[in-house]
Amino acid sequence: MRAVLSSGRTTGRETAEELARGLGMFSLALGSAQLAAPVAVARLAGVRADGPTVRGVTSLCGVRELVQGAGILSGRGTAGWLWSRVAGDVLDVATLAVGAARRGAAPARLGLSLAALAGVTVADVVAARGLSRRGDDGADECRAVAAVTVNRSRAETYRHWSDLEHLPEFMAHLRSVRVEASGRSHWEAVGPAGSTVRWDAEIVEDREDEVISWRSVGDADVENTGSVRFRDAAGGRGTEVVVELRYRPPGGRAGAVAAKLLGEEPNQQLRDDLRRFKQVLEIGEVVRSEGSPTGQSTRQQLAQRPAQPVA
Amino acid sequence: MRANCWTGKRSVEVREVPDPTILNRRDAIVKITSTAICGSDLHLYNGFIPTMREGDVLGHEFMGEVVEIGPGVDGLSVGDRVVVPFPIACGVCGACERGMTALCENSNPNAGIAEKLLGHSPAALFGYSHMLGGYPGGQAEYARVPFADFGALKVESDLSDEKVLFLSDIFPTGYMGADMAEVGPGDVVAVWGAGPVGQFAIASCFLRGAERVIAIDRIDHRLRLAQETGAETLDFEQVSVPEALAEMTGGRGPDKCIDAVGMEAHHANHALHAYDRAKQAAMLETERPHVLREAVMSCANGGIVSVIGVYGGFTDKFPMGSFMNRYLTMRAGQCHVHRYMPTLLDHVRNGDIDPSFVITHRMPLDDAPKGYRTFLEKADDCEKVVLTP
Ligand SMILES: NC(=O)c1ccc[n+]([C@@H]2O[C@H](COP(=O)([O-])OP(=O)(O)OC[C@H]3O[C@@H](n4cnc5c(N)ncnc54)[C@H](O)[C@@H]3O)[C@@H](O)[C@H]2O)c1
Ligand SMILES: [Zn+2]
Ligand SMILES: [Zn+2]
């Protein structure tokens, strides 16, 4: 369809998309290598010493690359992921410099690595800019969409969501929702660096068993709108729940990219929230493992406990 | 309690860790009486499965006695003797309702991590990485069993641990290998790998009425064990497997091919083995897929390739042309253990099979590190190691 719109000519956007795919594959390959053989990769990059720090830092970079690679290739929010790669590139140069200074470096290799990183950074910037030039990518607005299938009737699924005070039970970022007699609701959520953000919201649309949508009103810390739709899943497999959120993150686009680097990927978070919603409806509670005692949270994947009983 | 923990590549250690406690309403705590080391544990041991953490408790084949139950557990009481399936499954989601418990949609709290690597998340498994749940395993004195009312299978006391322990994994897994291949009367089946999983695949093919089973491995004592079950055997270091299989089947190839080896296959040609090993080490591919390639190329036209050997990521040089042009079918999966356990328990009870035939080594839990080494090297004619806490 894109080809038709651009009358068959390769557009800057298509080139950027191709480049993005290449970079995505590169992320996957590099990430896998960093995880599998952190010491070898660090050596190849010119950092000489072994040791837990080098291994740890390189593995962390590996996880980041894998996440970014998968994010880019997923085709969802590609530009955002690419910008997160640019930030990652800057981080890599810094890490490599620090690592080399502290641990001793092989100068020729280090030079090569830095040159390679510079090249990759340029490619990332080109691809990200190409993809960011997009009409629908409102300047400072972020959008998250996720869907889950719940093995329950539409009525039951709708009912559980329509009591907004249930939401913090499965939405990790929400501290509380209080519904006032007027129908307005007061929301409190965890903001950047553990701060609390607050807003009031009103229901915009509420059609039983079909859709609920809301928007923040007045002087909100984070301006946002959202909707949840319910529809029958094919083959009697319960209810498909689709949630869309739009919000202006504190700190604008830069803030959103920084948050992404720290693992706060909004689509992912929303998917985790919906999986918890599904658990609550299907089995009555959030499922916990010893590695993730608080339940679903990809955001905390780097901070997991070992899979050992909780003391 | 004492538990066998993963401490890094090729290293496990029995450590003192906290006792498990109830975290969810449908949990039970099981005091473990027998637990085993699986070929899947070797993939963790060798460092091929991502998202392991130092200190993770290993083990997914275990049984024991219920010593505590959560408020939401029906139909199970303290004192019951149970075998626990290795996938963790809720019993009420769409996948569980359709019997695909290794794909339970609710048991993996880290589904987001698995999604990144696999597209969608399968069920969580005991003691099998954070990507697959971050649940402690059963090579320990006690384990927390989530959804115990659905998962844990009660067994009477007149059957010994050794006869029922493998209902937790390798017997159903071998059986599912034969089931996915739709093995039935008149079939000629080739099974790659004569490890414990391969042995149960072979036995299951015969239980389902296969006419001939050909076992492929290079370890002599394992091939001999397969012969005792009735299989013909091939040593892949002595013969070219595709050629030998063609010859043994009048040029057709086996109707059904079962891969019970997985991502760490060996290649008889040392140069080719080195090639895939190097690519695997450099993470250019995550598997060494010799067996998969060989099974596809060897399979008879219109046949079925059934993959129970575990793979983790991406594979190179898959013979897609052979697969497509010859109307082959491939099925693969972690075993839906819950689905098969009751029928297979009946087979054990009726004396159709005594699953303890694979056990060669018995040791205390504290010797787990030695058990892993022995099983990895297949030293001392090792086929299967059982540990007692
Ligand atoms: N799908 C499941 O649910 C499931 C469950 C349990 C185990 N598994 C997997 O099954 C596989 C086997 O497990 P196991 O406990 O028997 O392990 P194992 O390591 O004891 O056995 C593997 C056998 O394969 C043989 N082998 C290696 N390369 C070969 C080749 N090229 N051709 C033929 N044989 C070859 C080895 O010599 C060895 O005997 C593993 O990948 C394990 O992860 C899968
Ligand atoms: Zn196993
Ligand atoms: Zn389930």
Side-chain angles (χ1 to χ4, degrees):
Chain A
M1 205 179 79
R2 200 159 41 234
V4 175
L5 286 178
S6 62
S7 17
R9 275 182 49 233
T10 314
T11 61
R13 189 173 163 80
E14 275 175 7
T15 320
E17 274 175 356
E18 243 164 59
L19 188 54
R21 259 193 305 279
L23 289 166
M25 296 302 289
F26 177 71
S27 269
L28 282 186
L30 179 59
S32 312
Q34 284 171 326
L35 277 184
V39 175
V41 171
R43 284 234 182 84
L44 272 176
V47 176
R48 263 192 199 131
D50 189 345
T53 323
V54 168
R55 219 173 292 140
V57 170
T58 311
S59 304
L60 276 182
C61 293
V63 170
R64 193 198 67 212
E65 290 287 347
L66 281 183
V67 171
Q68 290 171 337
I72 292 169
L73 293 177
S74 75
R76 286 177 275 204
T78 306
W81 283 108
L82 279 165
W83 284 117
S84 87
R85 267 194 57 102
V86 173
D89 296 338
V90 173
L91 207 68
D92 282 347
V93 172
T95 312
L96 196 55
V98 171
R102 282 234 194 98
R103 310 253 159 200
R109 278 200 189 163
L110 187 63
L112 268 179
S113 303
L114 287 172
L117 270 177
V120 168
T121 309
V122 170
D124 284 337
V125 171
V126 169
R129 287 194 49 188
L131 287 182
S132 296
R133 257 183 258 121
R134 234 175 50 189
D136 62 350
D137 220 1
D140 283 330
E141 196 181 72
C142 285
R143 178 170 173 266
V145 198
V148 75
T149 302
V150 181
N151 198 8
R152 287 283 181 270
S153 71
R154 207 134 59 94
E156 199 179 331
T157 314
Y158 165 86
R159 212 177 313 125
H160 197 82
W161 196 294
S162 63
D163 181 351
L164 297 180
E165 298 193 351
H166 277 151
L167 300 188
E169 186 181 351
F170 56 88
M171 300 196 88
H173 270 57
L174 289 181
R175 289 222 170 101
S176 65
V177 179
R178 223 179 50 246
V179 182
E180 288 158 14
S182 64
R184 279 215 171 172
S185 47
H186 183 74
W187 301 58
E188 278 191 21
V190 186
S195 60
T196 302
V197 289
R198 301 182 175 81
W199 67 89
D200 288 332
E202 63 181 14
I203 300 289
V204 180
E205 191 184 9
D206 186 351
R207 266 185 284 140
E208 201 173 331
D209 300 349
E210 277 179 32
V211 61
I212 307 171
S213 66
W214 60 91
R215 71 165 164 243
S216 61
V217 291
D219 193 15
D221 287 346
V222 179
E223 253 179 70
N224 67 87
T225 64
S227 70
V228 52
R229 273 160 220 287
F230 307 87
R231 57 181 189 231
D232 291 334
R237 277 174 287 188
T239 306
E240 294 174 0
V241 181
V242 186
V243 177
E244 182 180 349
L245 301 176
R246 285 173 186 274
Y247 59 98
R248 291 177 193 281
R253 179 162 291 283
V257 169
K260 230 174 232 187
L261 264 181
L262 298 171
E264 306 258 339
E265 211 278 295
N267 282 323
Q268 181 63 62
Q269 250 166 52
L270 191 56
R271 267 208 298 285
D272 284 347
D273 286 343
L274 288 187
R275 264 194 288 263
R276 271 190 298 266
F277 175 68
K278 175 181 165 73
Q279 291 173 345
V280 167
L281 273 164
E282 292 186 355
I283 56 189
E285 62 181 334
V286 171
V287 175
R288 313 200 288 155
S289 77
E290 281 74 357
S292 291
T294 55
Q296 284 302 336
S297 180
T298 308
R299 172 168 75 93
Q300 288 172 359
Q301 58 181 280
L302 297 179
Q304 295 234 337
R305 306 178 62 260
Q308 264 184 18
V310 184
Chain B
M1 67 165 183
R2 314 276 297 153
N4 184 40
C5 301
W6 188 86
T7 48
K9 193 172 166 182
R10 294 274 164 81
S11 150
V12 296
E13 208 178 288
V14 178
R15 290 183 177 169
E16 194 64 37
V17 304
D19 286 346
T21 50
I22 303 272
L23 293 183
N24 281 115
R25 296 170 44 81
R26 290 169 61 197
D27 290 349
I29 306 292
V30 170
K31 180 178 193 305
I32 295 165
T33 52
S34 294
T35 174
I37 307 176
C38 177
S40 300
D41 292 326
L42 294 182
H43 303 317
L44 302 174
Y45 191 58
N46 289 333
F48 285 112
I49 307 286
T51 71
M52 288 297 289
R53 245 154 225 258
E54 123 111 276
D56 287 350
V57 178
L58 295 174
H60 56 266
E61 302 181 358
F62 61 96
M63 62 177 297
E65 187 194 321
V66 176
V67 291
E68 193 183 339
I69 52 174
V73 177
D74 283 336
L76 205 62
S77 344
V78 170
D80 283 346
R81 182 168 180 248
V82 292
V83 184
V84 180
F86 78 89
I88 302 175
C90 74
V92 297
C93 70
C96 285
E97 269 186 356
R98 278 170 291 148
M100 298 189 288
T101 53
L103 301 176
C104 174
E105 297 157 11
N106 284 320
S107 62
N108 185 1
N110 298 328
I113 309 179
E115 264 177 1
K116 301 250 186 284
L117 212 69
L118 306 175
H120 295 271
S121 174
L125 311 179
F126 283 103
Y128 216 75
S129 84
H130 287 257
M131 169 175 110
L132 295 180
Y135 289 91
Q139 285 162 9
E141 289 179 279
Y142 296 89
R144 173 176 76 100
V145 177
F147 310 114
D149 48 350
F150 177 65
L153 177 76
K154 271 196 262 187
V155 282
E156 312 79 350
S157 51
D158 61 324
L159 292 168
S160 68
D161 272 22
E162 295 194 347
K163 282 195 171 161
V164 290
L165 172 61
F166 301 137
L167 291 172
S168 60
D169 179 351
I170 54 176
F171 186 11
T173 297
Y175 194 87
M176 183 161 115
D179 190 25
M180 289 192 299
E182 298 172 18
V183 171
D187 274 342
V188 182
V189 189
V191 177
W192 276 257
V197 170
Q199 300 291 348
F200 279 105
I202 296 165
S204 302
C205 287
F206 284 125
L207 277 177
R208 296 173 57 99
E211 192 160 320
R212 292 172 63 200
V213 179
I214 303 165
I216 304 152
D217 205 304
R218 60 170 181 170
I219 301 170
D220 209 39
H221 67 268
R222 293 190 159 194
L223 289 174
R224 259 179 300 158
L225 189 60
Q227 278 165 8
E228 283 167 29
T229 314
E232 300 154 64
T233 56
L234 285 178
D235 178 339
F236 69 85
E237 290 198 318
Q238 306 300 322
V239 297
S240 149
V241 172
E243 281 172 26
L245 286 174
E247 190 193 313
M248 291 166 87
T249 55
R252 301 186 310 276
D255 306 299
K256 313 288 166 67
C257 292
I258 300 178
D259 171 354
V261 178
M263 57 158 79
E264 292 187 67
H266 288 266
H267 201 296
N269 181 320
H270 294 285
L272 285 179
H273 184 66
Y275 167 82
D276 272 303
R277 257 203 104 105
K279 288 189 80 168
Q280 196 176 32
M283 276 302 199
L284 294 173
E285 63 179 338
T286 49
E287 335 283 4
R288 299 201 301 259
H290 315 312
V291 166
L292 197 59
R293 294 179 191 138
E294 208 165 74
V296 169
M297 296 298 282
S298 307
C299 192
N301 285 355
I304 303 179
V305 177
S306 158
V307 184
I308 44 177
V310 164
Y311 291 85
F314 300 89
T315 189
D316 264 14
K317 302 203 169 50
F318 179 80
M320 194 61 207
S322 168
F323 183 71
M324 185 273 158
N325 287 286
R326 302 193 303 110
Y327 187 55
L328 299 183
T329 299
M330 180 154 81
R331 292 210 182 86
Q334 295 282 0
C335 182
H336 306 305
V337 175
H338 303 68
R339 178 201 285 186
Y340 296 103
M341 279 206 313
T343 334
L344 297 184
L345 176 59
D346 283 344
H347 277 303
V348 177
R349 221 188 261 122
N350 299 342
D352 301 332
I353 183 170
D354 175 358
S356 66
F357 78 102
V358 292
I359 304 175
T360 51
H361 289 70
R362 299 165 175 86
M363 17 183 125
L365 174 67
D366 280 334
D367 285 349
K370 184 174 135 215
Y372 270 72
R373 272 194 311 274
T374 311
F375 185 48
L376 175 70
E377 290 157 10
K378 323 296 180 210
D380 187 25
D381 283 2
C382 183
E383 180 76 38
K384 185 77 178 176
V385 183
V386 173
L387 305 167
T388 27

